[in-house]
Amino acid sequence: AQTVTQSQPEMSVQEAETVTLSCTYDTSENNYYLFWYKQPPSRQMILVIRQEAYKQQNATENRFSVNFQKAAKSFSLKISDSQLGDTAMYFCAFMNAGGTSYGKLTFGQGTILTVHP
Amino acid sequence: GAVVSQHPSWVICKSGTSVKIECRSLDFQATTMFWYRQFPKQSLMLMATSNEGSKATYEQGVEKDKFLINHASLTLSTLTVTSAHPEDSSFYICSAHPIGGSDNEQFFGPGTRLTVL
């Protein structure tokens, strides 16, 4: 079974600054996907960024980028130029690329990020 | 973009009654939908995988007789909480994997808050 660990229950950052959220995972699989989801106060889950494990290049989406270290099983999220609207709970998630657990997401505990003006 | 709706968005019921929650994919079809449960300020836990035209598969520890899932069409899955008790109070979220979508793609509904008195 896969596990996802987010060791930072809460983080805060000043507007316009950069913050990094940590995530580690444990799996015996070689092919998988990793995700960061954002859950604002509305509780709607929003995909922030995804990474395919077979790709060495780190994914980027505008102000969001990841540092994917496959050997270390680490998948951190960097938010640049933080905005007030980034305030939310952030979840790291794992999905196996095949097999019986295909499509199932395993989530970390979440990190509450607060952006201060 | 792909939209998933849930109905109702919130519901209050008396202990011992049953509650049905609907999950609909509005602009795409999905053979597979997922049901998650989230307690306040906690992570999402996968409850079951809903498969169109076949029985749902439940995660370990989830009572299939208590949480009835029906995936009657390619755009609708329902979760019925039978004989609800206060400990069933939670936030229930569904997600849908679109037919023809990429392997790791799924879209989340806005969630349903269930309160059992």
Side-chain angles (χ1 to χ4, degrees):
Chain A
Q2 292 79 24
T3 59
V4 179
T5 302
Q6 293 177 248
S7 58
Q8 305 155 314
E10 295 187 39
M11 294 279 285
S12 64
V13 64
Q14 292 295 126
E15 196 175 8
E17 295 191 343
T18 296
V19 64
T20 298
L21 307 184
S22 302
C23 173
T24 57
Y25 59 94
D26 189 27
T27 183
S28 58
E29 303 293 335
N30 191 48
N31 295 320
Y32 50 87
Y33 305 101
L34 295 164
F35 307 83
W36 279 98
Y37 282 92
K38 169 185 177 180
Q39 189 180 43
S42 68
R43 304 193 77 171
Q44 172 72 56
M45 296 291 286
I46 300 168
L47 176 64
V48 175
I49 199 166
R50 83 184 94 200
Q51 174 83 42
E52 292 90 344
Y54 65 86
K55 290 186 177 179
Q56 292 186 344
Q57 187 173 5
N58 290 323
T60 62
E61 287 287 343
N62 301 313
R63 298 183 294 108
F64 300 88
S65 61
V66 298
N67 183 6
F68 173 48
Q69 300 291 327
K70 191 172 184 179
K73 296 180 181 174
S74 170
F75 184 61
S76 62
L77 174 69
K78 185 171 82 171
I79 305 174
S80 304
D81 186 25
S82 297
Q83 301 176 359
L84 297 178
D86 295 334
T87 292
M89 192 155 188
Y90 286 80
F91 291 100
C92 178
F94 174 100
M95 179 194 292
N96 204 353
T100 57
S101 58
Y102 166 73
K104 298 180 181 180
L105 286 166
T106 300
F107 288 90
Q109 302 93 323
T111 297
I112 298 173
L113 175 67
T114 303
V115 180
H116 297 286
Chain B
V3 179
V4 176
S5 70
Q6 283 185 238
H7 178 80
S9 55
W10 59 271
V11 57
I12 302 172
C13 70
K14 292 183 178 180
S15 185
T17 61
S18 295
V19 175
K20 180 185 286 188
I21 302 170
E22 294 184 347
C23 176
R24 291 183 185 272
S25 55
L26 298 185
D27 49 4
F28 65 95
Q29 293 182 324
T31 54
T32 304
M33 294 184 176
F34 302 92
W35 286 96
Y36 295 86
R37 181 174 183 175
Q38 184 181 29
F39 290 108
K41 295 190 176 182
Q42 293 190 26
S43 186
L44 282 74
M45 298 298 294
L46 178 66
M47 298 175 65
T49 302
S50 173
N51 304 296
E52 189 270 337
S54 64
K55 290 184 179 180
T57 55
Y58 291 81
E59 295 302 300
Q60 191 172 8
V62 177
E63 299 177 60
K64 63 180 181 180
D65 294 330
K66 181 167 187 61
F67 297 99
L68 300 179
I69 291 173
N70 184 23
H71 195 149
S73 77
L74 291 174
T75 59
L76 174 64
S77 175
T78 60
L79 168 68
T80 301
V81 183
T82 62
S83 186
H85 291 285
E87 57 266 29
D88 298 324
S89 298
S90 189
F91 194 66
Y92 293 87
I93 304 174
C94 72
S95 70
H97 174 69
I99 294 174
S102 61
D103 286 349
N104 57 69
E105 196 169 41
Q106 58 183 272
F107 301 95
F108 284 85
T112 296
R113 182 182 303 279
L114 170 63
T115 301
V116 184
L117 301 178

